[in-house]
Amino acid sequence: MTPTVPFDRDGKFHGHLRLPYSRDDSAWGHVMIPICVVRNGDGPTALVTGGNHGDEYEGPIAVTEFAHSVNPADVSGRVILIPGLNAPALAAGRRTSPIDGGNMNRSFPGDPRGTVTQKIAAWVVNTLLPMADIVLDFHSGGRTLDFLPFAASHVLPDRAQDAACAAAARAFGAPWTVRMLEIDDSGMFDGAAERAGKVFVTTELGGAGMARPKTVAIARRGLRNVLIHGDILAGEIAAAETRSLDMPDDACFTFAETAGMMEPLVPLGAEVAEGQELALVWPIEATGRDPAPLRAGRAGLLTARHVPGLIQPGDCAAVVAVPV
Ligand code: CA
């Protein structure tokens, strides 16, 4: 991987991470991953990434806009901005890379001799993470999920790191702030950054394979708020009301067991009771059959739902989180 920008010079530098990718239509070709480095003297470093999944747009838009508009004089330390971490996936409008099928957030810690996606992950772990104090990795629901807009931190064994991550997630100022117990973080950027001792914040800001005015505004404000919180960007945190949600266990998730047309029965953000029907799955092959109900595994707020009109067995149909 060859960066075309310096990491240790003052100023704002737009360039690329250039990753060799030899193929039929480009013998000595490269994957070009846009990057912007903003540095102003010594101080902490923030690594801000969008497009970890290529069909989630709030992060890439907010990171691109911030790179475009930030004045280096307002920075103390350094901000490393990568709007599309899985650049081939973002260019294709897909969750995973069209080159190798790689799901970036299942590819960490990566492999410098692996596929394109594994090489990107390895370079992040080996080169970018050691530079960073704070990591903000933007996600949204992509083409198959839609979320209430939230920033999140994970429950971590180190209490000081746990508190620092939770404080940064609250500072983001999304309408909801979530504490997540990750049962299996294998392959995720989150776990790689957390095990490296970083302050790590992630988000889920809408989804359905598109950006919305409200969720993009939340992403832009949250990016600035986290940098101000980290003493990297000048200014005042834009105060915003945020409510806390917990995702404590597997009962939060409802998975489809039949295929068909999904009829949602409650909107995102609705309060639901344990066992309540959240949606019906109607068969498409014939009339005269009962729909299959999709029920809440616990009481709480409907925090995410499956998006396309058709649903398959195994699809995540709904997420119910618990207000704190
Ligand atoms: Ca995602």
Side-chain angles (χ1 to χ4, degrees):
M1 184 84 85
T2 307
T4 68
V5 288
F7 289 96
D8 51 5
R9 273 169 48 200
D10 281 354
K12 177 158 81 170
F13 303 92
H14 299 284
H16 293 88
L17 304 174
R18 212 174 61 213
L19 175 64
Y21 172 45
S22 177
R23 56 198 190 272
D24 287 347
D25 64 346
S26 189
W28 290 6
H30 292 78
V31 169
M32 302 290 278
I33 304 167
I35 183 171
C36 173
V37 178
V38 188
R39 184 181 182 275
N40 183 18
D42 294 327
T45 292
L47 170 61
V48 184
T49 50
N52 178 327
H53 292 131
D55 58 351
E56 306 173 1
Y57 298 99
E58 283 81 357
I61 291 169
V63 177
T64 302
E65 182 275 327
F66 184 79
H68 195 62
S69 63
V70 64
N71 181 350
D74 292 333
V75 170
S76 304
R78 183 169 53 182
V79 188
I80 301 170
L81 301 154
I82 304 178
L85 190 58
N86 197 341
L90 181 64
R94 289 172 44 164
R95 179 174 180 83
T96 58
S97 174
I99 294 173
D100 54 19
N103 180 336
M104 181 62 70
N105 224 26
R106 304 293 182 272
S107 299
F108 282 83
D111 178 356
R113 275 166 292 282
T115 66
V116 164
T117 307
Q118 290 168 339
K119 284 175 176 167
I120 297 170
W123 202 81
V124 169
V125 168
N126 297 328
T127 306
L128 289 182
L129 272 186
M131 296 187 211
D133 301 286
I134 299 178
V135 180
L136 170 58
D137 184 40
F138 279 101
H139 286 258
S140 302
R143 287 193 290 191
T144 63
L145 288 169
D146 195 15
F147 279 90
L148 289 182
F150 67 76
S153 65
H154 290 104
V155 177
L156 299 173
D158 182 296
R159 286 180 62 181
Q161 187 188 14
D162 180 277
C165 294
R170 286 195 73 80
F172 186 98
W176 282 270
T177 305
V178 176
R179 299 258 300 149
M180 292 195 290
L181 182 63
E182 200 68 58
I183 284 119
D184 176 16
D185 72 1
S186 58
M188 291 174 67
F189 187 17
D190 312 49
E194 288 156 357
R195 277 187 289 279
K198 310 304 175 184
V199 174
F200 184 86
V201 177
T202 188
T203 70
E204 296 290 358
L205 303 172
M210 64 179 183
R212 300 176 174 96
K214 186 180 155 201
T215 50
V216 171
I218 292 165
R220 292 171 67 158
R221 188 183 65 208
L223 198 173
R224 287 169 173 79
N225 280 349
V226 168
L227 296 181
I228 294 166
H229 172 80
D231 294 326
I232 298 172
L233 184 69
E236 298 289 315
I237 288 182
E241 189 192 342
T242 185
R243 281 167 281 175
S244 295
L245 291 173
D246 250 344
M247 285 186 201
D249 55 38
D250 275 354
C252 297
F253 305 94
T254 301
F255 297 96
E257 295 182 352
T258 59
M261 300 177 287
M262 191 177 90
E263 177 192 352
L265 299 178
V266 292
L268 270 185
E271 274 189 48
V272 299
E274 182 178 341
Q276 182 176 337
E277 291 183 353
L278 303 176
L280 300 174
V281 180
W282 289 96
I284 55 177
E285 303 84 3
T287 59
R289 297 179 189 170
D290 289 337
L294 292 164
R295 298 179 188 278
R298 59 157 55 250
L301 288 190
L302 183 63
T303 300
R305 50 155 288 197
H306 176 80
V307 170
L310 296 179
I311 193 164
Q312 306 294 331
D315 286 351
C316 181
V319 180
V320 174
V322 184
V324 181

